[in-house]
Amino acid sequence: MSAKSTALARSAVNETLAARVLAGDVRAASRLMRDVDDGRESAVPELQVLFPHTGKARVIGLTGSPGAGKSSIGDRLIHAYRRTGKSVGVVAVDPSSPFSGGAILGDRVRMQQHAEDPDVFIRSLATRGNLGGLSRAAADCVRVMDAMGKDIILVETVGVGQDEVDIAGLAHTVVLVVVPGMGDDVQAIKAGILEIADVFCINKADRDGVDRTDRELRSMLELRRAVSTGEAHRATWEPPIARTVALDGRGMDDLVEAIESHARFLAQTGQREDRDVLRARTEFLAILRDRLLASALQRLERQRGKLDEIASRIARREADPWSLVAALAR
Ligand SMILES: Nc1nc2c(ncn2[C@@H]2O[C@H](COP(=O)(O)OP(=O)(O)OP(=O)(O)O)[C@@H](O)[C@H]2O)c(=O)[nH]1
Ligand SMILES: [Mg+2]
């Protein structure tokens, strides 16, 4: 081994992953994100080093039912933002359809272009790590990409199901992707997820029923306004509705403009800071919860058989679960 390569190898060993991420080392970023995904404790000190270098990226959430077209829209957005010179990171949470890296499906030349584009970085989170789960892993991957200097970070999550990622606590702008002809489904999405959508995207607008879906969304937004108890002095945002055909790119300009106008709104009204505080609060509470739970579990594990004993006592009605938790949490 030459003196030079030995020195290189040594510096790669001695340098922390975080230092390498900050120096633009893509492989170190991948490694760290894998550690995050696996829920490794060793990722925490690295994330701590990265922390002061984060907070610059704009995070855009893409959510909606399975197959609505989130990844296809995401690919189009990568193109759109790359055209304006912005670097893009993508965190896809448990997707069944992969991001192609900004490639239009079937367009191999472009796919290769993006595979080599250092300004696009895509990471899928597949595993369900232990504590904190997907939500925390997604937030931490966003943080790594932020530290890498990505301008825009897209986060794709399925907006239904048990393991729902807290996208509102993660993104500055949440885009809800719906498809026409959902009928009663539009009613079904109104709980919870409708409240957090900043931009609506009716994708697959090449299909029948777009006007109807548009009308239904609008009437639900009316309802939301009517019952809204928002503070009077606060500027309120009217979520725009864009119609897109991700397959051929129709309507994408409108969608990008809707997202950008929301970003301008946040900046002009000072609400971007509010969101950042909200995100920080969500994250702090999540870390606190994980930490408290982890230390309680550790205490339990130190006493071999304790958990089994607790469970049997509760099952036999010798003690109630609340007092046993209170005793443990003291
Ligand atoms: N007709 C039509 N099909 C579309 C459109 N956009 C996406 N599709 C198709 O819909 C299917 C699902 O698209 P994806 O982009 O993978 O959707 P997704 O929401 O990411 O799906 P999951 O990650 O599995 O939840 C694919 O076969 C796409 O080609 C569209 O605008 N019109
Ligand atoms: Mg997808």
Side-chain angles (χ1 to χ4, degrees), residues 175-195:
V175 179
L176 177 62
V177 182
V178 300
V179 292
M182 285 171 78
D184 289 344
D185 291 356
V186 173
Q187 300 298 322
I189 59 166
K190 83 176 162 200
I193 210 145
L194 187 75
E195 278 81 46

Side-chain angles (χ1 to χ4, degrees), residues 242-263:
R243 300 177 177 198
T244 58
V245 182
L247 281 186
D248 62 15
R250 266 180 287 164
M252 283 307 297
D253 290 347
D254 289 346
L255 178 61
V256 171
E257 175 47 27
I259 294 170
E260 291 307 295
S261 67
H262 183 248

Side-chain angles (χ1 to χ4, degrees), residues 65-72 96-97 156 158 203-204 206 245-247:
S65 354
K70 302 176 294 294
S71 300
S72 311
S96 61
S97 54
E156 176 185 345
V158 172
N203 188 41
K204 309 198 184 184
D206 50 327
V245 182
L247 281 186

Side-chain angles (χ1 to χ4, degrees), residues 81-92:
Y81 282 112
R82 288 299 297 127
R83 269 201 301 275
T84 62
K86 297 226 183 331
S87 58
V88 184
V90 180
V91 179

Side-chain angles (χ1 to χ4, degrees), residues 306 308-321 324:
K306 184 74 176 172
D308 293 336
E309 182 202 315
I310 287 176
S312 324
R313 287 185 61 202
I314 297 171
R316 288 199 301 265
R317 299 296 183 275
E318 290 168 12
D320 69 81
L324 292 183

Side-chain angles (χ1 to χ4, degrees), residues 94-257:
D94 215 9
S96 61
S97 54
F99 263 82
S100 58
I104 307 316
L105 292 177
D107 185 343
R108 303 200 57 177
V109 179
R110 278 183 124 129
M111 191 177 314
Q112 277 158 10
Q113 260 176 27
H114 269 287
E116 284 162 19
D117 186 343
D119 290 317
V120 177
F121 193 99
I122 298 171
R123 169 82 208 193
S124 294
L125 295 181
T127 61
R128 279 143 215 284
N130 29 34
L131 281 178
L134 275 174
S135 250
R136 289 286 311 289
D140 288 339
C141 281
V142 164
R143 173 152 302 141
V144 176
M145 292 191 184
D146 192 345
M148 287 170 84
K150 295 286 169 273
D151 299 310
I152 301 284
I153 300 172
L154 305 174
V155 183
E156 176 185 345
T157 64
V158 172
V160 290
Q162 296 289 309
D163 285 295
E164 199 172 305
V165 166
D166 183 5
I167 194 73
L170 191 61
H172 294 101
T173 298
V174 175
V175 179
L176 177 62
V177 182
V178 300
V179 292
M182 285 171 78
D184 289 344
D185 291 356
V186 173
Q187 300 298 322
I189 59 166
K190 83 176 162 200
I193 210 145
L194 187 75
E195 278 81 46
I196 62 158
D198 302 302
V199 171
F200 289 91
C201 168
I202 307 178
N203 188 41
K204 309 198 184 184
D206 50 327
R207 293 192 182 166
D208 290 341
V210 183
D211 288 335
R212 193 180 148 192
T213 302
D214 193 302
R215 271 198 308 276
E216 283 174 353
L217 282 177
R218 275 174 213 285
S219 64
M220 277 189 319
L221 286 171
E222 287 282 323
L223 210 64
R224 173 166 107 169
R225 259 199 303 279
V227 299
S228 160
T229 51
E231 304 136 70
H233 64 275
R234 232 175 122 94
T236 51
W237 169 253
E238 303 288 331
I241 302 175
R243 300 177 177 198
T244 58
V245 182
L247 281 186
D248 62 15
R250 266 180 287 164
M252 283 307 297
D253 290 347
D254 289 346
L255 178 61
V256 171
E257 175 47 27

